[in-house]
Amino acid sequence: MEKMIWTLVLLSAVWSGVAAITVNIPQTVYEVARGDNVTLPCTFTTTVTSPKLVVVTWTALAQVEGALDDIVLTYYYPDDETDVQDNYKDRASPIVDLKTGTANLKLNSVTLNDNREFECQVQIPKDPKGQTADKARLLVLVAPSPPICKTQGKAEYGQNINLTCVSEEGSPAPTYKWAGYTVANQPRVPDPKTTDQGGILSLFNITKDTSGFYICTSSNKIRSATCNFTLSVMPPSMMSIGSTAAIIGGVAAVLIFLVIIIYCCCCKNKKKDAIYEMGIHEEEHHDKEPVNGESRHGNGQETNIRPDEAKVDLSYDRRKDYDDRRSDYDDRRSDYDDRRSDNTDRRKDYDDRRSDYDDRRSDYTDRRKDYDDRRSDYDDRRSDYDDRRKDYNDRRSDYDDRRSDYDDRRSDYDDRRNKYGDRRERYDDEGRYNDRRDPRSDNRP
Ligand SMILES: *[C@@H]1O[C@H](CO)[C@@H](O)[C@H](O)[C@H]1NC(C)=O
Ligand SMILES: *[C@@H]1O[C@H](CO)[C@@H](O)[C@H](O)[C@H]1NC(C)=O
Ligand SMILES: *[C@@H]1O[C@H](CO)[C@@H](O)[C@H](O)[C@H]1NC(C)=O
Ligand SMILES: *[C@@H]1O[C@H](CO)[C@@H](O)[C@H](O)[C@H]1NC(C)=O
């Protein structure tokens, strides 16, 4: 047996003498915890005795097809010079010894980016044949981060829900295991339909009894971490009441938000327009005395904007797109001048109409005075009429007096007539005057 091994070694020595160089990394995978230091071993043999030049190159191979390899470092013997790439500065160093055929790489403070294949290559002049390189995988281990556990679906009687468990970190990728406990914290015998795959615990047709504690353990080679999820299954009505309230609240909140947004947008736009117009005016009258309020045809809001604020806004806009805005500005300026002259015309027109109005007003005052005069005249005539009326009444009473006087005299006459009648009767009775009677008396009945 020993003879056989020695024969093999001898054979390989002869063969290697023919094939020249051999580079070897003993293992295919090296594990290291993140943050730790690691030394990747690499050995080589050569038939060249005391070589004049040796070049050792460590390369981090591309992880995906088409990506580029990253050279970590290149070591040159006998200069004992090392070129380290920027990504590995102060972290990577060669450990080379020609006598023992050593060309190791020491890598400090390993990160998850170092979780890849590394290649060791040794080049010796006049020995180009054979296996000049070998590679190994560096597995960077990361403890699982505390898993995040959630529910999918409604935790309501009769529903099917999932409990999910994910660790954001962990290398190699963690595996997950769920364990259920009752509300009394007793280990639960899982329902036969329950499944636990890839960190998803699926619970079917859940009931009040499904409530309890659910512990997920996330673990890999290095360590494990857990979450403790409390599940409380509600009756459907309670859930629907809760969710209805939540929906109403949500809708109300959205509406209020929209109203505020719309209001703010409106205000902002108005203000922006005002600022822009103000900016033009500000520029226009920059070196002039401020003109009177009318010719600025402001709409009241303009006056709320501080001039310096407007100028800042304007200068910012100008810087951005000066030429466009300048032509735009010229247009608006001529437009403004037009409106200004138009305004002046209208003002003159207004003044004319005003003086016209003043004339008419004085005219009216005159006519009013005239009316007042006529009124006093009327009052005079009225009092005159009243006087005459009084006069009439007096005369009337005078007439009445005279009438009563007449009536008196009439009754007096009637009395005398009666007396006359009496005397006549007496004459008739006596018959003394029948002969001497007046012819007029014959006509009497
Ligand atoms: C890694 O190597 C550096 C430098 O050689 C040393 O300062 C550090 O303590 C090492 N870290 C560990 C975890 O060994
Ligand atoms: C639970 O997970 C399974 C598998 O991922 C999926 O098919 C199912 O739709 C999930 N159920 C709910 C309620 O999210
Ligand atoms: C769910 O469970 C209830 C009793 O807990 C049962 O009456 C019902 O049939 C179950 N539904 C399904 C779909 O399994
Ligand atoms: C999970 O949490 C509950 C209450 O917070 C506690 O009673 C229970 O012991 C915890 N379980 C584990 C395994 O930590």
Side-chain angles (χ1 to χ4, degrees):
M1 189 69 183
E2 252 185 11
K3 256 189 180 176
M4 199 175 158
I5 289 167
W6 273 112
T7 314
L8 272 173
V9 169
L10 232 140
L11 269 172
S12 74
V14 170
W15 184 75
S16 71
V18 175
I21 195 167
T22 305
V23 175
N24 182 44
I25 297 177
Q27 293 176 36
T28 53
V29 176
Y30 291 86
E31 289 179 359
V32 59
R34 181 175 59 177
D36 284 359
N37 302 338
V38 67
T39 298
L40 292 175
C42 179
T43 58
F44 65 93
T45 57
T46 177
T47 50
V48 177
T49 47
S50 51
K52 297 254 173 354
L53 177 63
V54 175
V55 178
V56 175
T57 307
W58 276 93
T59 306
L61 300 178
Q63 287 168 287
V64 290
E65 201 76 32
L68 293 174
D69 297 342
D70 293 322
I71 292 170
V72 179
L73 57 77
T74 310
Y75 172 84
Y76 300 94
Y77 172 88
D79 295 356
D80 198 25
E81 286 284 337
T82 309
D83 289 334
V84 183
Q85 292 304 306
D86 289 346
N87 286 349
Y88 296 91
K89 268 261 178 314
D90 306 325
R91 271 198 330 118
S93 55
I95 300 169
V96 177
D97 184 356
L98 255 62
K99 286 191 190 87
T100 57
T102 303
N104 298 347
L105 172 69
K106 191 178 181 223
L107 201 57
N108 292 343
S109 307
V110 168
T111 68
L112 275 177
N113 286 335
D114 301 323
N115 194 23
R116 59 201 289 187
E117 273 189 316
F118 286 83
E119 187 188 67
C120 171
Q121 186 189 46
V122 180
Q123 291 166 284
I124 296 171
K126 294 180 183 154
D127 197 0
K129 287 181 183 164
Q131 190 186 349
T132 58
D134 199 6
K135 59 188 177 183
R137 160 94 200 199
L138 181 64
L139 181 61
V140 179
L141 303 177
V142 179
S145 59
I148 295 161
C149 298
K150 293 179 187 167
T151 49
Q152 287 179 343
K154 287 191 226 165
E156 238 177 66
Y157 295 176
Q159 296 283 327
N160 302 331
I161 62 165
N162 290 341
L163 301 184
T164 62
C165 174
V166 176
S167 284
E168 283 180 339
E169 275 195 331
S171 176
T175 57
Y176 305 96
K177 182 101 189 97
W178 280 99
Y181 294 85
T182 62
V183 178
N185 218 3
Q186 297 299 308
R188 181 190 291 280
V189 180
D191 187 278
K193 281 197 281 179
T194 300
T195 62
D196 180 7
Q197 278 185 329
I200 299 174
L201 182 73
S202 298
L203 303 168
F204 297 95
N205 196 12
I206 58 174
T207 66
K208 195 181 194 309
D209 294 335
T210 316
S211 298
F213 306 112
Y214 289 82
I215 313 293
C216 173
T217 304
S218 164
S219 48
N220 66 6
K221 279 188 174 168
I222 310 179
R223 229 158 281 149
S224 65
T226 62
C227 73
N228 184 349
F229 188 84
T230 305
L231 178 68
S232 41
V233 183
M234 301 280 199
S237 58
M238 276 184 72
M239 278 299 288
S240 65
I241 288 165
S243 56
T244 304
I247 287 165
I248 289 168
V251 167
V254 165
L255 281 177
I256 289 164
F257 182 72
L258 279 177
V259 165
I260 289 166
I261 287 291
I262 288 165
Y263 180 77
C264 286
C265 283
C266 286
C267 285
K268 213 174 170 186
N269 284 342
K270 268 187 194 169
K271 202 173 170 184
K272 214 169 156 188
D273 289 347
I275 286 169
Y276 189 67
E277 217 172 293
M278 183 70 183
I280 286 168
H281 294 168
E282 206 54 45
E283 190 70 16
E284 176 95 308
H285 305 299
H286 194 256
D287 296 323
K288 296 180 198 164
E289 281 293 308
V291 285
N292 65 46
E294 275 169 356
S295 65
R296 298 182 75 145
H297 51 83
N299 56 2
Q301 263 168 335
E302 269 183 298
T303 53
N304 291 337
I305 309 302
R306 291 204 331 270
D308 53 339
E309 197 180 323
K311 255 187 272 177
V312 165
D313 186 67
L314 191 70
S315 64
Y316 175 74
D317 283 340
R318 292 269 164 121
R319 245 180 287 127
K320 257 171 84 183
D321 203 352
Y322 176 78
D323 286 332
D324 283 0
R325 274 184 192 257
R326 167 123 208 161
S327 74
D328 192 31
Y329 161 75
D330 286 346
D331 287 356
R332 281 194 210 205
R333 190 192 164 118
S334 75
D335 193 30
Y336 168 78
D337 286 345
D338 287 356
R339 269 185 284 168
R340 191 188 163 133
S341 75
D342 193 29
N343 231 337
T344 313
D345 287 358
R346 266 186 276 171
R347 199 203 156 98
K348 232 171 81 190
D349 195 29
Y350 168 78
D351 286 347
D352 288 356
R353 267 184 284 165
R354 196 194 163 104
S355 74
D356 192 30
Y357 168 78
D358 286 346
D359 288 356
R360 268 185 278 167
R361 195 195 165 103
S362 74
D363 194 29
Y364 167 79
T365 313
D366 288 355
R367 266 185 283 165
R368 196 195 164 105
K369 231 168 81 190
D370 194 30
Y371 167 79
D372 286 348
D373 288 356
R374 267 185 276 168
R375 193 193 166 107
S376 75
D377 194 29
Y378 167 80
D379 286 347
D380 288 356
R381 268 184 281 165
R382 194 192 166 109
S383 76
D384 193 31
Y385 166 79
D386 287 347
D387 287 355
R388 270 185 274 168
R389 194 191 168 110
K390 228 170 88 192
D391 198 27
Y392 167 79
N393 285 338
D394 288 355
R395 269 183 279 166
R396 193 190 167 113
S397 75
D398 195 29
Y399 167 79
D400 286 348
D401 287 356
R402 270 185 274 167
R403 192 190 170 115
S404 77
D405 198 26
Y406 166 78
D407 285 348
D408 287 355
R409 268 182 281 168
R410 190 186 173 125
S411 75
D412 195 29
Y413 168 76
D414 285 348
D415 284 356
R416 269 184 273 168
R417 189 184 174 134
N418 284 347
K419 265 187 243 171
Y420 169 76
D422 286 353
R423 263 181 281 167
R424 187 171 175 160
E425 255 172 64
R426 255 181 292 156
Y427 276 122
D428 287 346
D429 288 348
E430 286 168 14
R432 271 195 256 173
Y433 290 95
N434 280 346
D435 298 343
R436 295 191 273 171
R437 217 175 49 184
D438 200 9
R440 268 193 310 178
S441 311
D442 290 336
N443 294 337
R444 294 184 68 166

